[in-house]
Amino acid sequence: MSCYSIKTRAQKCRRYLRRVGLDLHKSPVRNMWADTYDMYAIVKPGTDKADYQYDCYLDDVEAYIHDVVEPELLERRRYY
């Protein structure tokens, strides 16, 4: 759990994902009883909105960044 607000955490995730060519989108559903309420999708830019799969919570997105994105950024930095 983080001490930052949800909006700040989401923005930080967006910045990290943009560095590796991905986008983060929040589900447009505002009904708290819906299945995809407050969920996120990690997609490649240019993907049709109908193909988005909102299947990650913000904690899952942060875990993905920690496990996949950060090592990739470190590897890129090594060769520059």
Side-chain angles (χ1 to χ4, degrees):
M1 202 65 173
S2 178
C3 62
Y4 297 108
S5 70
I6 292 174
K7 189 171 184 175
T8 303
R9 291 170 55 204
Q11 196 61 26
K12 185 176 178 181
C13 290
R14 282 188 182 90
R15 281 195 306 267
Y16 270 103
L17 290 171
R18 267 192 222 120
R19 290 181 191 170
V20 293
L22 298 172
D23 284 337
L24 181 67
H25 294 277
K26 187 174 181 179
S27 173
V29 175
R30 296 298 172 245
N31 178 0
M32 66 185 294
W33 303 111
D35 292 337
T36 60
Y37 176 74
D38 204 27
M39 296 187 89
Y40 293 84
I42 299 173
V43 296
K44 292 184 180 180
T47 306
D48 188 26
K49 279 194 170 197
D51 296 334
Y52 290 0
Q53 293 182 356
Y54 299 101
D55 55 357
C56 304
Y57 290 108
L58 194 54
D59 293 334
D60 300 331
V61 173
E62 288 174 334
Y64 175 79
I65 289 171
H66 180 70
D67 294 340
V68 177
V69 174
E70 285 180 351
E72 183 176 334
L73 290 174
L74 289 173
E75 189 68 26
R76 284 184 188 178
R77 196 176 303 159
R78 182 177 297 169
Y79 293 109
Y80 285 118

